[in-house]
Amino acid sequence: MTNREFVDQYNLSGALPVDPSSRVIPASSYAEALADFLGEHFRGLIRVEKRLDTAESVLISPEYAAFFFKTLLTYIYGRVFLTLLISSEIDRLVTLIESEEDLPLSDKEMRFLIKTARNAGMDIMPAEKSIKLTLRYSDAAIRRVYAVSPADGRVRMLSKLSEIFFCGAKYTRASEPAKQNSKSDKK
């Protein structure tokens, strides 16, 4: 499968993050939304496992997080099978993306993924066969009068994943929005 065939088969859009602001989301909501979304839409390309034992929240930009995963999948486009493990540690949430083979990413692609992960609020540690993303738990939820419920956090994350993956103009490249066809705009 080529990159173009991958994009067409999964009907990916060229949507880019618009809102860079970070939100407090329960770690369990982030993990559940990611597992549900990727499991439903990209089964056979990526397997998601969750090993969480925390009631903590993370501070993350949902749009940039969604854009990171869309960009990663479009760069890989099914050439290797990915395993994504989301686990909780004492002071952080860890997302480990692994493959049994070297990840087929160029230096330019990896630099773009690093930039996108950092924009999402994640620390990133790439290796030949894996990418480790970490999110420190946030005490911002403690200072809020109204805490974000796990259900609200899951819905927010799922909506941003759907928006970034499937809404907007047709996907051309991860770093560039697609150009609209002027004939179709006039109809």
Side-chain angles (χ1 to χ4, degrees):
M1 176 182 311
T2 66
N3 183 279
R4 178 84 263 150
E5 290 169 338
F6 175 82
V7 168
D8 289 344
Q9 179 178 343
Y10 290 94
N11 203 24
L12 300 179
S13 75
L16 297 170
V18 175
D19 181 8
S21 60
S22 294
R23 305 276 191 247
V24 175
I25 296 177
S28 60
S29 300
Y30 167 80
E32 288 174 21
L34 209 51
D36 291 349
F37 184 84
L38 295 175
E40 179 181 338
H41 296 286
F42 299 96
R43 187 176 296 126
L45 300 175
I46 189 167
R47 181 180 69 238
V48 181
E49 299 175 29
K50 301 176 293 183
R51 294 186 194 146
L52 296 174
D53 185 24
T54 186
E56 297 283 346
S57 293
V58 294
L59 185 63
I60 190 166
S61 168
E63 288 191 21
Y64 271 98
F67 187 61
F68 172 86
F69 287 103
K70 179 177 85 170
T71 303
L72 175 67
L73 289 173
T74 56
Y75 283 167
I76 299 288
Y77 61 90
R79 294 179 286 170
V80 295
F81 182 78
L82 300 174
T83 301
L84 191 142
L85 172 63
I86 306 170
S87 60
S88 53
E89 292 184 358
I90 293 172
D91 62 343
R92 61 189 173 172
L93 185 71
V94 176
T95 304
L96 182 61
I97 304 159
E98 293 182 300
S99 173
E100 291 183 5
E101 303 172 39
D102 287 352
L103 295 172
L105 298 168
S106 69
D107 288 338
K108 181 179 178 183
E109 290 169 335
M110 185 56 77
R111 283 193 306 275
F112 190 77
L113 285 171
I114 290 169
K115 176 183 162 187
T116 304
R118 288 180 180 160
N119 286 341
M122 300 182 276
D123 291 325
I124 180 170
M125 290 149 271
E128 288 181 10
K129 296 182 180 185
S130 66
I131 297 173
K132 183 177 182 180
L133 305 167
T134 60
L135 285 162
R136 294 223 174 264
Y137 296 132
S138 173
D139 61 354
I142 296 168
R143 294 189 299 265
R144 293 179 142 211
V145 175
Y146 301 104
V148 176
S149 74
D152 291 342
R154 183 177 174 277
V155 167
R156 173 175 283 163
M157 193 66 209
L158 279 171
S159 70
K160 293 303 178 182
L161 284 162
S162 183
E163 181 181 314
I164 294 294
F165 271 80
F166 303 121
C167 295
K170 189 79 171 155
Y171 175 92
T172 54
R173 292 179 48 136
S175 60
E176 300 173 4
K179 294 184 178 166
Q180 295 290 327
N181 184 342
S182 60
K183 290 180 182 177
S184 64
D185 290 343
K186 294 177 183 177
K187 290 183 181 178

